[in-house]
Amino acid sequence: MHALADVRDGKLDGCFVEMSFCRDSCIGGPSFRKKKASAAVSSLRVRQEAIGEKPGDFSAKLGDDGGVSALAARFADRQIHYAMPTEQQIAAIYRKMGKESVEDELNCGMCGYASCREKAIAVALGKAEITMCMPYMKKRAEAISDQIINVTPNAILSVDLDLNVQQINHAACRMFSIRPEDILKQPVSRILDEFDFVSMISDGKTQLDKTTYYAEYGLYLNQSFFFDRAGGIVICIMKDITKERQQHNQLMQHKTQVARMADDMVDKQLRLVHEIASLLGESAAETKIAVSELKNTVMMEEEENQ
Ligand code: SF4
């Protein structure tokens, strides 16, 4: 490009310019790497081919015109003439690139074209792809991630270092019965305890998992906090486990009740055993006394008979 600019400006004249003589093109390009040829050797071979002599001998054969006739060639005009797209076609491509207003035309040059219009024309001519527009791709990726965040059943919100809510999804709005416009850019303490966010930021912890009961909502929340230090945000993902927790509590109550009933039953059984034992003991003692009495009586009768 510099050589062409010099030709245009009249600084370069009477020269043969090999326009592909650059690194990774004809010189040092894929084929050269395969053949392991150096740039110098390749350059000499080109000359040899052009002049038809071995390197070193050709200068004497150049003739009066300096070899120009030996290098003469005819070139056919192979220029491709493209029909310029209409304004409607360009507008349609703008829409596909998400450029609805002049503000969307950033003309940042990241696609390799000097302006969005040049890029749109290139797309219309089949020379470029819509996806080569970085702001468009970024917007698309953000739209997809927003969609994913909004369809997930878990409540998600992010908070900046000033503890203001930056993002909140539909599930979180439903959970706290709040509209996004009422909480975005507002302190997170309006809906959640800010203590965990503060501790994440001040302690530099990257992850924290915990279960918290929020009496004001009557909810048990399983919370996972992630601190993105580089992005300066804390993300909180919450799962409503109230039902599971209530079922667990009911189960525990039931188990405690059953255990208590079992204890009562054992106590009753023991009391019964004691009572039976005591009755049996009394009965055995009485039997012993009666047998003893009977034995004494029999002994006394025998003594009298003798
Ligand atoms: S990258 Fe996109 S916004 Fe930037 S100039 Fe190209 S088309 Fe325009």
Side-chain angles (χ1 to χ4, degrees), residues 192-210:
L192 284 175
D193 185 355
E194 62 183 15
F195 176 79
D196 293 315
F197 294 94
V198 173
S199 84
M200 290 290 293
I201 296 167
S202 57
D203 299 348
K205 280 187 224 160
T206 51
Q207 192 168 351
L208 171 70
D209 293 303
K210 63 182 294 197

Side-chain angles (χ1 to χ4, degrees), residues 57 68 71 77 123-124 126 143 194 253 261 271:
D57 296 343
V68 171
L71 292 171
D77 182 0
V123 172
E194 62 183 15
Q253 274 178 1
M261 279 169 64
R271 271 201 303 275

Side-chain angles (χ1 to χ4, degrees), residues 97 99 106-111 113 115-116 119 133-135:
M97 290 197 294
K99 303 197 182 305
L106 302 179
N107 299 319
C108 63
M110 286 176 81
C111 55
Y113 292 91
S115 67
C116 297
K119 159 77 191 306
C133 173
M134 288 301 139

